[in-house]
Every structure is written in C-alpha cells, then in structure tokens.
Amino acid sequence: MIGKILSLLCVAVVGTTNAAADFIIREPKFDIPEIPGFDMKNLFGTIADQMLTMTFGQKYTCEQCTSVETEVTEVLGALFVGWKPILGEICKIIAEKSTLTDVGCNTILGRYVPIFEQSYVKLMVQNHGVICGFTLQVCQNSSISRVEVGPIIDQIYQGMPPVKPYNPTYRQTYQILQVNDIHIDFEYLSGGIVNCKEGIMCCRANKTVLPGQNPVYAGYWGSLGGSCDIPEHTFDQFITFVKANFKPDYVFWLGDNENHEVDMITKDTNIQTTKILSQKLSQLLPTSKLFLAIGNHENNPVDNMDFNNIIANQWFFNNLTSDYTPLLTKDELAQIKSKGYYSTYVKERNLRIISLFSAPMDSINFYLLVRTYDADGQFSWLWNQLKTAEQNNESVFIIIHIPPGDSFSIALWDELFNAVVDRYQNNIKAIFSAHTHGDQLIFHRSRYNNQTVVKTQYVGPSLTTFSNLNPSFRVFKVDADTNEIVDYTQYRLDLTKYNQLGPDVNLEWDVAYTFKQEYGVPDMSPASMQTLWDTWTNDYTTMGKYIFNLWTYEYSGQTIDPRWAIPSRCYMYPSTAQTVKCLGILAFVVDQGDIANLLLANLFPAFMKFSK
C-alpha cells in the first residue's frame, strides 16, 4: 500500500511524461502544480538531466562528477527546506485522482518525508560522495565503502556437504497450522459502502460511494471487491472453527495484525491490536505451541524502522512485543524484545524454529536507503544459527513475514538468504512466509543454476479479504521422523455463501485443495517442485490452478492470459533481482502495481558501510 502511494506521488512530481508511468498507477497524467516562487519543473529537470548524463553520458573525471553531485545535493536540499507547501499541492492533485484524501496524503507525507530527509543528509551531506564515490566509482571515498555480496557468498558455501535426499518415513506425522495477514478491522460496518471514495479503507461508517457507481454494501462476515479488512466476529469464528476441527501441534502466526488505514493508524492502535489478537490466539494453547514472526504493519510508520535509534524504537520492542507474552516462553520473549527475531529448539522433534524480522530487508523501509550492511545483525545471526544446526544435525524451519524474493524484499538480502538456504539445504526443511495475501510458491535455487530448485518457500494466503480475497489458512502435514513437509491442506471461506446465510450461522472453512492432489505430484520433494517449475516454464497455459489458487478462487477451466502467468511465474524466483530479469521489458505491462517496489528493491549495486 505504501509503495503504491509513493508511486502515485513520484508520478505526480515528475509530471508523468511517459506511458510507463501511466502503467504504474493506472491513472490519467498529472500536471506539475505551480507553486509561487518555486520552479519545480526546473528543479526536477535539473536532477533528471544531470543524473541521466552521469549514468548514460560521457565519462566524468572525479572533479567534474563532484561538481554535478554538489549541484544535485543542493537542489534536493532546497526541496527538503520547502517540502510542505510543495507536496501539499501535490496531495490536492492526488486526492482528486484517487480515493486517498488530502488529509490522509499529507499525513503519510508528514511521516515519511522526514525519513527521506534523514537518509538524504547522511548520504549526500555528511558523507558526500555517494554518487561519484560509491555508485559510479569515479572518485575515491574514505567515508563510504562497498560491502560486496560475492565474497560473502563464497564464504557461505565453504565446506558444503553432499546434498541429502528427501527422505520422509511416513510412519507418523504432526500438524502445523499457518495463519497470517489477519488485518482485523474493529471499525468494520456491516452494510457499509464497499466501493467508497474516501480514504484507503472502506466498509466503515461515514463512507460514500464512488461517483458514477452504484453502491455495494458490506456483508456481515466480510466483503469482496473493495478495500475492506475482516471484522472481529469473523476472526472469532476462525478461532472457534480451529478449536472444533483441529488440534495442531504447532501454530505459525506470521504477522500483519492491523487494519490497512495506514494514513491514520497510530502506535497505540498497533499495540492494542496485537494485544487483542495475542489474547484471542492464546485460546489455542496449550494444545498447540505457537511461533510467530512480526509483520511490516506492526511498525509505525508502516514498514519503517531506524536500527540506529534505540530510543525511538522502545515503543516497539518494549510495548508491542510485550503483547506476545501469553504465547512465548521467557527466552523467546527476551529474544524478540531485543531484536524482533528469535530462535528456539523443539527437543522432541530435534527441530529449530528460526523466526526472522522483515524490517531490515524491507525495500520500503526508507531508513535503509543508506544501506548499512546487516543493519541489525540479523543475517550474521542467522548464518551462525544455521552453522550450529548443521553441527548438531538439527532440522530447521524458517518463518518470516515478507517473503525473500517478493517485491518488498531488498535484492541483495535475497541473494544472501538464497545462498544460506542452498548451502544449508540439508538442515532447512522449509521456509514459511506471508505478506502478499496470495497463495504462492517460491523456489530457492542452486548457486550454479537458477533453474534448479533446491528448497520451497510456502507463502500463505491472508485471513483478511483485502483486496478481493476469500479468507484463508492452511494446515501442513509433517513427517515426524525427518521433519519433511509431506503435504498441506488449504482452507478457504466462501464469503458469498455465508453473507447470504446471514449472521446466525457458524462459519465453516472449506477444503480448497490438498497440494499433492491439486498439482498431481507424488510428494513434496525438490524433484516434484522442479517438475512443476519446468512444466509451468515450458507451457504457461498449465498454470490455471496455480493462478486461481493464488487469487483464492476455484479454477474452472478459464483460458490463461500470459499477463497473469508471467508475473506469477517470475515471482517464483527467490530474489527480486532475478524477478526483474524474468519480467524484463514486460515489467511495466504485466506487473504495473509492483514496479516501483521492484525498482526500490534493486536500487543500489552493493551494500554501504559508513566509517562514521
């Protein structure tokens, strides 16, 4: 959502002078607003002209490059000095062209522009040389050095043992229930307007219908077709249904608790929502042991966290993570309150659960524009956890909110993560993620051939309906002897049916499919996933079931449009860099909504490390 809004903002600023920009937001072109005493066209024209010349024009000497960089720095500085009236005018235009209100737009800018400014000061003022010294490398720079990924990956692969085969015994299994992206809306109003014109969220009080449309009214149990999250009573029915029908050994709760009204949401809302959901999920205890990963919506502002500001993060690590107290052991709670990630060992399974925190690899965490390497030490910690697991012959499950490989994931972080998954594939049995709201697969690849599948990442669909999705969760069947995934069952709520039945019913989530039967594979091994990948790569028309499951709907033989198949297949790569290569020049056509995030994810050619 934030990436979409910022795409809209960027297009408004630069004037939308090409067709590609139109594709990003699917809106008419904007004119640059006239601000008295401020020539925005010349301002942005100067930056664009200079950057294009530096990137594609003649070779610069260090002195010439530094002169241009100084000019760019000064122009950007002028923007930050007077950004409120400038962007205020832009918000008026955005409000006219979208459902985002003028107040909401200004609120978002008020939260995020200062983060951009902080990154600008560090990059362009305090450490002058990010363009000439770091990016273009035409000058020596003593304050910014490059942390290259290649040598780190070489170290990761040292001592890699022979790959062990997929070897479940099938003697006994246990269950893992995965739920994610709940996005509960305590303000949901049955009978409210679904196709509303004000703000990000619909299905609430005081909303009016979009001009020229007939009103669509919110169903009691939730609503398809608009920007609506699930009501509290639907989540309560989910808890009731799980208690009545399952006794999972473990529950994976993979984050994103709050509603999507990101322009108005507060830290108190985040804390209260997480507290309420933790209390509700604690009803599944002690029958099930729960493990969790923190979502990007738990941050405030959404997606953004400054790992260099301990005081500013105290509300998050002290107050919000304290809400998890009913669900975690003292050791797990101590770890998550320190860094947002944790590791725990399940002795009876010889299984290590590693929960990762998405914020340090989130491509729209704008504090990371300075790209300090391993901002919170999480990657080094993960690597050490996997080394220990290998030494102790432990199985490993990795849980995380934002999937490595998604457009919200920094490409270089993805490369490092895929390397450790490939290197420690004997120990890592599966990766479980969330965030996209879709029912997806991501295939981690061999270092030597990115067409060779070595491990599967299971991306779970959301419990919320946002946007136009049937509430879903899944249950994995796991081999008790080897901790290998042997199948999973996808459950899906038929919202249309239950809204017609009304409030006086008990909700029943239907079995949408079981994986092996749905996709016609004998097992969940890398070889079976390789077969799926090869089949879908060679013939996109065979992807019908996968694409409609991705959207949480049943496939009924519809003709598969390549504009559906291409992005669906490209997002099976475990790195945004590989996704961009896969999409190629078609990115602006087949993946309009995510192109801004993909570009941000691939913004820098190397990590940065500052000497001061």
Side-chain angles (χ1 to χ4, degrees), residues 85-349:
I86 300 167
L87 297 184
E89 290 297 317
I90 293 173
C91 276
K92 291 180 181 179
I93 298 173
I94 290 176
E96 292 173 359
K97 301 292 184 179
S98 72
T99 63
L100 188 64
T101 64
D102 191 3
V103 172
C105 177
N106 278 284
T107 300
I108 289 173
L109 293 175
R111 292 176 176 179
Y112 289 94
V113 171
I115 300 174
F116 275 111
E117 183 175 6
Q118 179 178 319
S119 295
Y120 155 77
V121 170
K122 187 168 186 178
L123 284 171
M124 307 292 287
V125 179
Q126 295 176 350
N127 296 279
H128 192 69
V130 65
I131 298 175
C132 300
F134 177 80
T135 305
L136 300 180
Q137 300 183 71
V138 297
C139 296
Q140 294 293 319
N141 191 295
S142 59
S143 63
I144 307 175
S145 58
R146 303 172 71 87
V147 179
E148 301 289 357
V149 170
I152 299 173
I153 290 177
D154 289 340
Q155 293 177 45
I156 290 170
Y157 278 95
Q158 288 180 6
M160 183 175 177
V163 176
K164 296 178 180 178
Y166 174 83
N167 61 341
T169 64
Y170 298 102
R171 292 191 310 112
Q172 189 175 359
T173 60
Y174 62 90
Q175 286 186 335
I176 299 171
L177 184 149
Q178 178 177 336
V179 61
N180 50 265
D181 297 280
I182 296 168
H183 290 293
I184 194 167
D185 186 5
F186 298 110
E187 297 182 39
Y188 183 94
L189 178 65
S190 176
I193 300 295
V194 173
N195 50 338
C196 73
K197 71 175 184 178
E198 303 95 355
I200 295 170
M201 293 295 299
C202 297
C203 302
R204 288 179 163 191
N206 302 317
K207 302 284 186 175
T208 56
V209 68
L210 283 165
Q213 295 189 15
N214 294 321
V216 178
Y217 298 105
Y220 180 79
W221 296 108
S223 297
L224 302 174
S227 298
C228 304
D229 283 318
I230 66 164
E232 183 177 12
H233 50 263
T234 303
F235 181 75
D236 290 340
Q237 285 268 346
F238 161 74
I239 295 291
T240 300
F241 179 75
V242 170
K243 289 176 66 177
N245 292 277
F246 305 98
K247 289 187 178 179
D249 298 87
Y250 308 104
V251 175
F252 288 170
W253 174 26
L254 302 190
D256 269 17
N257 309 328
E258 301 77 12
N259 69 75
H260 278 89
E261 194 82 63
V262 297
D263 53 336
M264 299 300 177
I265 207 163
T266 66
K267 293 175 182 177
D268 287 341
T269 305
N270 292 38
I271 293 169
Q272 246 341 84
T273 302
T274 298
K275 182 177 183 178
I276 291 170
L277 289 182
S278 292
Q279 291 171 344
K280 290 178 183 292
L281 284 163
S282 69
Q283 297 177 47
L284 302 179
L285 308 177
T287 304
S288 306
K289 165 60 180 163
L290 189 143
F291 303 96
L292 63 89
I294 299 173
N296 61 302
H297 274 258
E298 277 76 271
N299 296 350
N300 194 295
V302 174
D303 290 281
N304 281 251
M305 177 170 285
D306 183 1
F307 294 103
N308 296 316
N309 193 336
I310 297 173
I311 295 175
N313 295 334
Q314 282 183 344
W315 77 272
F316 183 89
F317 288 117
N318 290 340
N319 296 334
L320 188 139
T321 58
S322 293
D323 292 338
Y324 298 127
T325 300
L327 308 174
L328 302 179
T329 66
K330 289 183 179 179
D331 177 62
E332 292 164 355
L333 190 63
Q335 291 183 66
I336 205 167
K337 288 182 74 171
S338 173
K339 291 287 189 178
Y341 51 85
Y342 71 97
S343 171
T344 190
Y345 179 65
V346 183
K347 185 176 180 180
E348 63 269 23
R349 306 286 183 201

